[in-house]
Amino acid sequence: MNPFKFGTIVDGEFFTDRVNEIQTLRQKLDSENHIVLISPRRYGKSSLVRKTLSEMQRPYIWVDFQYVYTAEGLASAIVACICKLYTYEKIRHLMTHFRVVPTISTNPITSNIEISFQPTLNTKILLEDALELIQKVSNAHQRLIVVFDEFQEVNNIQKELDKQLRAIMQHQQGLNYIFLGSQESMMEEIFERKKSPFYHFGQLMRLGKIPYVDLYAYIVSRLPNECPLTRQEQIAQEILSFTHEHPFYTQQLASVVWELMVYQHIYDNVVKQAIDSIVQQHDLDFERLWLSQNRTVRNVLSQFAAGNNPMTNRHIPSSTTYSTIKKLLKSGYLVNDSEYTIEDPFFASWIIKHT
């Protein structure tokens, strides 16, 4: 079986390092403090939190704000998660006090419990009832953990939804909230700006890259034994040089390298062939992404892909370049980890190839 995993939650034997981060999370969750965890996309926030929660063996619910579109939908998602976690008999009597009675059904195909509320002008009562249900099922011996993923989307769901949630959550006790976010500036606006309802509501954690030495050892230990150790070490160096230690892309590239070595017995220039294969596989996606950008964005991305500083380009006003970089950071196409780089190194390779 391929020893490298990407694209889904990384757990078990596929999980590497993050020992200090797990210890820190556990310590914080042993209190009644809340946590704000920020990192660029695909750095492994979700895998880290799920790994920590599985070790702690505490009950938790997980709501991804990217897939919530209304306040009613948020209330429904919370109640549905509670219904999955506890028996219906335990939950049923706790919902008798709901001011808007939800419709509960079971999907015959997936067996998932589905919750829906009738649209109402007063969404506050739906949120109050849903969050009160969280409070009721949590207890001192089995304190519930509530994970709100991609929380920077909160006010895109409904204007001033953050104020409604904060007004309710500030009175809750005996549980922990974990707020995950991949857009640093927006998460800082929510939790670090003094006028924000969630100002300092949780302890801030920033998740960085896995240290080079740990990723290097992880790759070398999983490459095929048929390959000499010196070649394994060289391949690991080439992989990390290309991915800049990004956890997701490192696993992706190492996975394809492993397949080429094991199934096609390719050892020479195997990293380059793996990169070319991945870039070709995503050619249509990268082309669509490229064509959806205006010329200024394309110019800036081309400069970064080539390793140049677009701020020195005399053909584009510096103010325009700066605002473009800011937008690319917000949308996740760029990351700022000591220097600006294109988040997806395979997209950067595609740009170099086509410009």
Side-chain angles (χ1 to χ4, degrees):
M1 186 174 65
N2 194 318
F4 300 100
K5 182 180 180 182
F6 66 97
T8 58
I9 296 296
V10 177
D11 53 11
E13 63 180 292
F14 299 100
F15 194 90
T16 180
D17 197 61
R18 300 298 193 194
V19 175
N20 293 334
E21 290 88 345
I22 290 175
Q23 182 179 5
T24 300
L25 280 174
R26 294 190 65 154
Q27 290 172 350
K28 293 183 183 299
L29 292 172
D30 281 337
S31 67
E32 288 196 14
N33 293 315
H34 309 304
I35 298 171
V36 180
L37 183 59
I38 304 174
S39 81
R41 293 185 309 127
R42 299 172 176 174
Y43 264 43
K45 291 185 298 297
S46 298
S47 297
L48 170 65
V49 171
R50 289 188 188 275
K51 173 76 170 177
T52 304
L53 297 183
S54 67
E55 290 185 359
M56 297 185 72
Q57 296 185 337
R58 276 177 55 187
Y60 69 90
I61 65 171
W62 195 293
V63 179
D64 193 333
F65 276 50
Q66 286 188 122
Y67 303 106
V68 174
Y69 310 109
T70 63
E72 292 92 341
L74 177 58
S76 299
I78 292 171
V79 175
C81 287
I82 295 294
C83 289
K84 292 175 187 176
L85 190 60
Y86 300 96
T87 63
Y88 178 67
E89 290 302 318
K90 178 177 181 178
I91 301 302
R92 185 175 62 177
H93 77 278
L94 295 178
M95 292 194 293
T96 56
H97 301 293
F98 274 26
R99 286 161 287 182
V100 177
V101 180
T103 300
I104 304 175
S105 59
T106 303
N107 188 314
I109 299 176
T110 63
S111 297
N112 287 337
I113 294 176
E114 297 179 351
I115 307 291
S116 61
F117 290 96
Q118 292 295 324
T120 175
L121 294 177
N122 189 357
T123 57
K124 182 180 178 181
I125 64 173
L126 299 181
L127 296 171
E128 286 177 345
D129 287 345
L131 291 174
E132 185 180 354
L133 181 63
I134 290 176
Q135 179 76 73
K136 288 179 178 179
V137 298
S138 184
N139 59 69
H141 302 290
Q142 283 286 85
R143 288 187 295 115
L144 185 66
I145 297 173
V146 181
V147 183
F148 282 163
D149 203 352
E150 299 297 349
F151 189 70
Q152 73 271 349
E153 300 293 329
V154 59
N155 286 330
N156 291 332
I157 297 172
Q158 179 176 291
K159 187 178 180 180
E160 297 189 343
L161 180 59
D162 58 344
K163 292 183 179 180
Q164 293 188 31
L165 293 176
R166 179 67 171 83
I168 303 167
M169 293 161 61
Q170 65 182 344
H171 301 294
Q172 293 182 310
Q173 297 179 345
L175 49 83
N176 298 100
Y177 281 96
I178 302 178
F179 304 92
L180 306 183
S182 58
Q183 296 186 16
E184 183 176 3
S185 60
M186 295 177 68
M187 290 292 285
E188 288 180 345
E189 181 77 7
I190 294 171
F191 292 100
E192 295 297 301
R193 186 173 63 89
K194 287 188 176 182
K195 293 184 179 181
S196 171
F198 275 95
Y199 175 66
H200 285 185
F201 187 72
Q203 297 187 40
L204 186 63
M205 285 184 62
R206 299 181 190 276
L207 186 64
K209 296 176 180 177
I210 297 173
Y212 182 96
V213 291
D214 295 321
L215 272 179
Y216 173 84
Y218 177 82
I219 296 169
V220 170
S221 67
R222 290 169 176 247
L223 290 175
N225 292 328
E226 293 78 11
C227 182
L229 178 60
T230 54
R231 183 68 184 118
Q232 291 177 348
E233 293 173 341
Q234 182 182 356
I235 289 172
Q237 292 172 5
E238 292 175 7
I239 290 173
L240 294 175
S241 175
F242 177 80
T243 63
H244 304 289
E245 302 102 69
H246 191 297
F248 177 89
Y249 298 115
T250 297
Q251 290 267 18
Q252 183 181 18
L253 181 54
S255 174
V256 177
V257 166
W258 185 90
E259 290 177 354
L260 291 175
M261 296 174 72
V262 171
Y263 298 126
Q264 299 185 35
H265 307 291
I266 297 174
Y267 297 96
D268 295 332
N269 296 320
V270 64
V271 176
K272 182 181 183 305
Q273 291 196 47
I275 293 170
D276 291 342
S277 174
I278 295 171
V279 171
Q280 180 59 39
Q281 180 183 353
H282 293 281
D283 179 73
L284 183 59
D285 296 328
F286 290 151
E287 182 179 19
R288 288 172 176 166
L289 177 58
W290 183 255
L291 293 176
S292 68
Q293 310 299 329
N294 61 44
R295 291 185 179 277
T296 301
V297 171
R298 294 181 197 176
N299 192 310
V300 169
L301 288 173
S302 296
Q303 294 291 322
F304 278 124
N308 300 324
N309 182 359
M311 292 297 291
T312 62
N313 189 334
R314 298 179 181 179
H315 301 291
I316 304 177
S318 58
S319 58
T320 302
T321 302
Y322 177 78
S323 62
T324 300
I325 292 174
K326 188 175 181 180
K327 290 177 182 177
L328 289 170
L329 284 169
K330 186 175 181 180
S331 59
Y333 294 125
L334 288 181
V335 293
N336 185 10
D337 189 7
S338 73
E339 62 179 0
Y340 293 121
T341 56
I342 295 177
E343 188 265 348
D344 185 342
F346 299 105
F347 184 37
S349 289
W350 184 92
I351 294 172
I352 293 172
K353 181 180 178 181
H354 289 82
T355 57

